[in-house]
Amino acid sequence: HGGVSVARNVGLNAATGDWIYFCDSDDLAEPDLCCYLLERAKQENADISSCALICDRSKERDIRTNYPGTGVEVWERDELLHRGALPFFRLNGVSRGVANSLLPTTLFRRDLIEQHHIRFIVGLALAEDEAFFLEYYIYAEKMALSNSVLYHYNAAPQSACASFFKRKCPFVRREKQWALLSRNRWRLYHDGVFEKTFPEIRDELRLTATYHEALLIESDT
């Protein structure tokens, strides 16, 4: 009962296989999802493999991928950083592209995760999947993408994420989450390859982190 980040970390600590896959208990995966993602990863010698999902509760046909408009293709290191990682910094100054952090559509290499001890941030209930993706991208060299729909997402209106963005979450708790998330982005920017690759986002990223820290101080007074 420690929350989704704790539960996933328990799973990572117990895992012994070569690949890691996360599935939510109230959703439905197609029987060949893992097989398809694994075959794509092996075929392309990729560190990460992803497909598409469909939101079953949507009134209209709602298909999503981690990178909208992506067909069956492969991204090498430079494209993975610019089109994969950069959007997860969520900066507003210049359009950085669009990205989703759909864990149940994605297969990860466990040796990469264990070598760099990548884990979900305990206490972070907002965009904890984005934080995981962003750190993983520091070390990944190649990604296999596909728009094949292999996962059915049950978007529950009472979920923790929905409650957060509908502002049912207390203000102080919201600001603590934003501050924790922005601190982590700032840490990864300095600790990984991002500072060398994206020097132009440094000031905007620092301003965003400072803004959320200021709001957190204000909410505590």
Side-chain angles (χ1 to χ4, degrees):
H1 300 290
V4 65
S5 292
V6 170
R8 287 171 178 160
N9 287 342
V10 169
L12 287 173
N13 293 338
T16 58
D18 295 331
W19 296 86
I20 295 292
Y21 175 73
F22 301 97
C23 182
D24 292 335
S25 59
D26 53 351
D27 296 336
L28 176 66
E30 292 290 337
D32 60 339
L33 182 148
C34 287
C35 182
Y36 177 85
L37 293 180
L38 181 59
E39 286 181 354
R40 289 274 296 142
K42 288 184 173 181
Q43 180 183 20
E44 305 295 347
N45 192 27
D47 300 314
I48 183 169
S49 178
S50 69
C51 62
L53 63 73
I54 186 167
C55 297
D56 285 342
R57 283 182 177 241
S58 299
K59 294 181 180 179
E60 299 179 356
R61 187 170 171 80
D62 184 3
I63 295 176
R64 304 178 191 179
T65 59
N66 280 325
Y67 305 96
T70 300
V72 178
E73 56 183 292
V74 177
W75 289 358
E76 301 286 350
R77 175 68 170 169
D78 186 68
E79 195 166 18
L80 190 153
L81 288 175
H82 283 81
R83 296 178 64 184
L86 185 57
F88 285 129
F89 283 104
R90 305 297 181 192
L91 300 176
N92 298 316
V94 180
S95 175
R96 307 292 180 184
V98 178
N100 298 311
S101 51
L102 307 176
L103 280 173
T105 67
T106 312
L107 196 66
F108 302 89
R109 272 182 49 194
R110 192 173 74 88
D111 61 346
L112 258 184
I113 294 172
E114 291 307 304
Q115 180 182 349
H116 303 285
H117 196 66
I118 304 171
R119 291 295 186 269
F120 292 87
I121 301 172
V122 175
L124 182 62
L126 164 70
E128 75 287 339
D129 44 6
E130 283 190 13
F132 185 87
F133 267 95
L134 190 58
E135 188 166 3
Y136 189 88
Y137 284 152
I138 293 175
Y139 310 105
E141 294 290 337
K142 186 186 289 189
M143 177 161 58
L145 303 100
S146 172
N147 55 5
S148 296
V149 179
L150 298 172
Y151 191 84
H152 299 263
Y153 173 58
N154 179 25
Q158 72 276 12
S159 69
C161 184
S163 298
F164 187 94
F165 286 106
K166 288 178 181 177
R167 298 191 175 274
K168 293 181 180 179
C169 179
F171 177 77
V172 174
R173 186 183 171 200
R174 273 207 317 274
E175 294 312 321
K176 284 182 178 178
Q177 292 292 302
W178 284 119
L180 184 56
L181 185 62
S182 60
R183 270 186 229 135
N184 182 65
R185 287 172 180 165
W186 183 245
R187 176 185 68 83
L188 292 179
Y189 180 74
H190 286 296
D191 289 352
V193 300
F194 299 130
E195 191 167 23
K196 285 185 178 180
T197 309
F198 309 120
E200 73 280 5
I201 73 172
R202 177 185 173 87
D203 291 344
E204 187 179 353
L205 188 62
R206 180 168 55 184
L207 180 62
T208 301
T210 304
Y211 168 77
H212 287 297
E213 291 292 346
L215 283 182
L216 179 59
I217 293 171
E218 181 182 351
S219 68
D220 282 336
T221 58

